[in-house]
Amino acid sequence: MQIGDLLAQIRGRIPRRMVVLGLGGAALVLLLGFAAAALVQNHNGRVKAQAAARELADSFKPLAIAPEDFFLPEEPDSLPEFIPERPPRTVWTVDDARLYWTDPLAGNEKLWRDRFDTVIDDLMEGVP
């Protein structure tokens, strides 16, 4: 007996409607199986991700920075008194002032006279 004859006998005994319903039911069971597997896989992935996030968060707790380290300490309310290095002078002598004085005409007389003339000319031009 050949396979074709066997299929013809089965086709003759089982109505077409039963074959279609059986194939439809098998397809439905297969589809529901795939959906269940996808949901289980998704749930397992979510549980693993949550466990990894919890583990990561727990690993940072001992290294957390104390809130006191974020702020600078308070400054004192009063400033220290001014302590001069030496008492102020009431009278200056020529020798004392000589250290801080530079004669503008020493060596550059022409330069300074040109600057004075330029400033005076600018002032005079502004007078109506």
Side-chain angles (χ1 to χ4, degrees), residues 76-85:
D77 289 338
S78 62
L79 296 174
E81 291 184 26
F82 177 72
I83 303 172
E85 295 179 14

Side-chain angles (χ1 to χ4, degrees), residues 2-124:
Q2 292 185 352
I3 296 178
D5 294 336
L6 184 61
L7 288 176
Q9 279 182 347
I10 293 173
R11 220 181 272 155
R13 290 186 188 168
I14 301 173
R16 183 177 282 262
R17 181 186 279 173
M18 291 294 281
V19 172
V20 171
L21 286 176
L23 289 175
L28 183 65
V29 167
L30 189 63
L31 206 83
L32 289 175
F34 281 138
L39 287 173
V40 167
Q41 183 70 18
N42 188 18
H43 176 71
N44 288 343
R46 189 178 308 137
V47 168
K48 287 179 184 177
Q50 287 174 350
R54 245 184 273 118
E55 183 179 328
L56 184 65
D58 290 342
S59 68
F60 283 117
K61 284 184 181 176
L63 302 176
I65 300 172
E68 295 83 29
D69 294 341
F70 282 117
F71 302 102
L72 295 173
E74 293 289 328
E75 291 189 19
D77 289 338
S78 62
L79 296 174
E81 291 184 26
F82 177 72
I83 303 172
E85 295 179 14
R86 62 179 182 207
R89 297 184 182 185
T90 55
V91 177
W92 284 76
T93 64
V94 174
D95 292 331
D96 293 335
R98 192 178 317 258
L99 294 173
Y100 306 104
W101 172 254
T102 303
D103 187 10
L105 299 179
N108 293 328
E109 184 175 346
K110 180 167 178 17
L111 172 73
W112 286 104
R113 290 207 185 273
D114 291 341
R115 283 190 186 177
F116 295 152
D117 290 340
T118 304
V119 170
I120 290 171
D121 289 341
D122 289 343
L123 288 173
M124 294 305 284

